[in-house]
Every structure is written in C-alpha cells, then in structure tokens.
Amino acid sequence: MLIDYAERNSANIIDNPLWIMTLRIIIRGLCEADRAILYAYESRWKGVWMISYSLHLSNKKHALNTVKKVSTASKHNMRQFKSEDYCKDNIIVIRGSDNILEDVKKKYHEEFDEALVKYNEGKRSDRKIQDYLKYVSESGKNDVAAEIIIQLGDEEFWHDKSMNLQRKMVPILEEQVRHLEELVPDFKIVSAVVHLDEHSPHAHIIGVPIGRGYKRGMEKQAAKTKVFTQDTLKTLQDQMHKHAERDMEAHPEIFEGESLKEIEQGRNSDWSKEFYITGSYCRLKAEKSTGKKIEY
C-alpha cells in the first residue's frame, strides 16, 4: 500500500520533506523487495534528503557557567559513567587530557594570572581576587567556559553506516577543530572529544572565551558573550558550514552523491533535542548495568 501511494503521489512526495523523513524511518522495517523500490526513488529526491551540519553553542541549562558544570561536562564527554557496552575505542580525545576541569584550570592560569596580579596591585586584601576561576564560577556574571558541539550528518544518515566508516570522521572533526581555532582565536580550546558511541559521530569542544580591554575589573576576562555574539556566531556558522562542504567533497568514500543542507538562519543550531536525550540514555544504561545511581 505504501509503495502504491508513493507511485501515485511521487510529485507531492518529492516536494514534501516530512514525507521523505517518514519514509526513511519506515523503510527500515520493510521487506527487501519494498525497500529496493523505495530506494529507487532516492535519485528523484536529491535536494530533499540532504545532510545536516550542526554547530551548537551550549546555552541556558547546558551552559558551563560554574566549575561544577564543567566537571559534569567532563563526566559526560569522557564517559566517566560506563555501561556494559562502553568501549574506550569509541571515545577519541583529540585535544586535552581525560580531566577537562584540570585543563580549564591550567588555561585560566595561562591566560589570566598576569592580569590578576595587575588587578590586585595596591588593593586591600578584602578586595583582591585570590582565585579567578572560583571568582567567575561564584559571581554568575560570566560563564566559566563554553562548549561547542559539531556534527556532520544526523542519525538518519549514519544509522546504516559501519563503524569503520564512522571512524573516518575523526580526522574530519579534528580538521573542524582547527578551523574553529582559526576563525575564533579568542576561544582557547582546552578539550576536544569525538564520540562514536551515540547515534552519529560528533565532537564536544570545550574552551575558555577571552575578552580584552576592560576598563572595570581585570583588563582581561572570561567573556563568552563578548566572543560569541549573535553576529559572530552567525558568521562562524556560515564559515564552518563552508568548511564542512569542502570536507564532504574531499571524502567521497563517506559522502559521495550527498548534498549539505543549507544552514538555517537565525538558529544557534539545527541539532534536535534528541542529542541531549541521548546523554541521559547513556547514563541510564550505566545505572542499570552497575546498579548504582550516577550523579550527573
């Protein structure tokens, strides 16, 4: 019946992305013959089935605005809760160590110690900042760090791809990290971790955004809202999207015949909420396998 409907309404289906996504989900449950027929439509649906690219800056409840939030992100990114099907080979650290909070502390000393000494000169002891990281974490004025999540291809693209093919995304995501550093030099990356154990390969990138030239307080400060404004984030997404297109062209073994979906203007990301649900799912699996409640 589904095949008959597709035959009779192929023109409407081609123009309806919702139908395309519905069929793509249903197709998994079809018999081999019906599946072959629906796949035959794929060449007519080019331009509708397109690969998404997501660059998401964590905000609101996912913002790294305290030391505790950084520690929580470290637990997720480094898989410090481990389920029975945990495999360290599917967690690839391409920047930093296995302790992201310590990486952030080190970067704070590198970037802010000189400005802190200058700020404290001549001040009464009760007005001095003793620990700038602690000060930022407790003040609530700035985020301690920022996290960017990059994904090329969503679950629908990757669901039938082999793990060997997914592993080929590691150098591509590493290249994306290098592009990010070049485009946002004041975002000092301390950690980049690739996850291959969820629905699609993606990278978690944590860094310290730096602002300079302040007249009040320290001359140099943690400054997420100054580094990542609405305008700079839009420009960043546009440039990174172009790099993603070139990466796809350079890797036909993964993306041959595929097109990249145009960026959706006005949005921080086209990443669905499913991503965050996945993190909870992994934690629940770990709790079930260990029998212990995991604080996360």
Side-chain angles (χ1 to χ4, degrees), residues 198-244:
E198 296 181 62
H199 296 297
S200 59
H202 57 272
H204 291 260
I205 304 159
I206 292 179
V208 180
I210 306 294
R212 297 175 174 81
Y214 288 93
K215 302 300 182 183
R216 297 184 61 182
M218 289 168 48
E219 184 274 336
K220 188 178 183 182
Q221 301 179 24
K224 177 184 174 184
T225 56
K226 186 174 183 178
V227 173
F228 295 110
T229 66
Q230 184 175 356
D231 289 338
T232 62
L233 189 56
K234 179 183 181 300
T235 299
L236 174 62
Q237 289 173 324
D238 289 343
Q239 292 297 319
M240 293 292 284
H241 191 272
K242 291 176 183 177
H243 282 302

Side-chain angles (χ1 to χ4, degrees), residues 78-135:
M78 304 308 302
R79 291 294 189 263
Q80 291 172 349
F81 55 90
K82 299 176 181 179
S83 63
E84 290 177 344
D85 55 357
Y86 166 81
C87 177
K88 67 178 181 180
D89 293 336
N90 294 334
I91 309 299
I92 296 97
V93 179
I94 57 180
R95 293 289 181 87
S97 70
D98 60 357
N99 190 323
I100 298 174
L101 180 56
E102 288 302 316
D103 293 336
V104 169
K105 289 179 180 179
K106 181 179 179 181
K107 183 58 65 176
Y108 261 68
H109 285 301
E110 291 177 359
E111 295 293 337
F112 301 118
D113 277 2
E114 184 176 342
L116 181 60
V117 170
K118 184 176 180 180
Y119 172 79
N120 284 335
E121 285 179 355
K123 286 186 171 56
R124 299 197 322 251
S125 59
D126 62 334
R127 291 185 176 272
K128 291 182 179 181
I129 298 174
Q130 303 299 331
D131 183 331
Y132 183 58
L133 176 58
K134 182 179 179 181
Y135 172 81

Side-chain angles (χ1 to χ4, degrees), residues 151-155 158 166 195-196 198-202 271:
Q151 172 193 262
L152 180 54
D154 60 12
E155 178 185 359
W158 286 105
Q166 292 191 44
H195 285 178
L196 300 178
E198 296 181 62
H199 296 297
S200 59
H202 57 272
W271 197 298

Side-chain angles (χ1 to χ4, degrees), residues 9 27 48 63 92 142 206 222 268 296:
N9 298 275
I27 201 172
V48 180
I92 296 97
N142 295 301
I206 292 179
N268 179 20
Y296 182 63

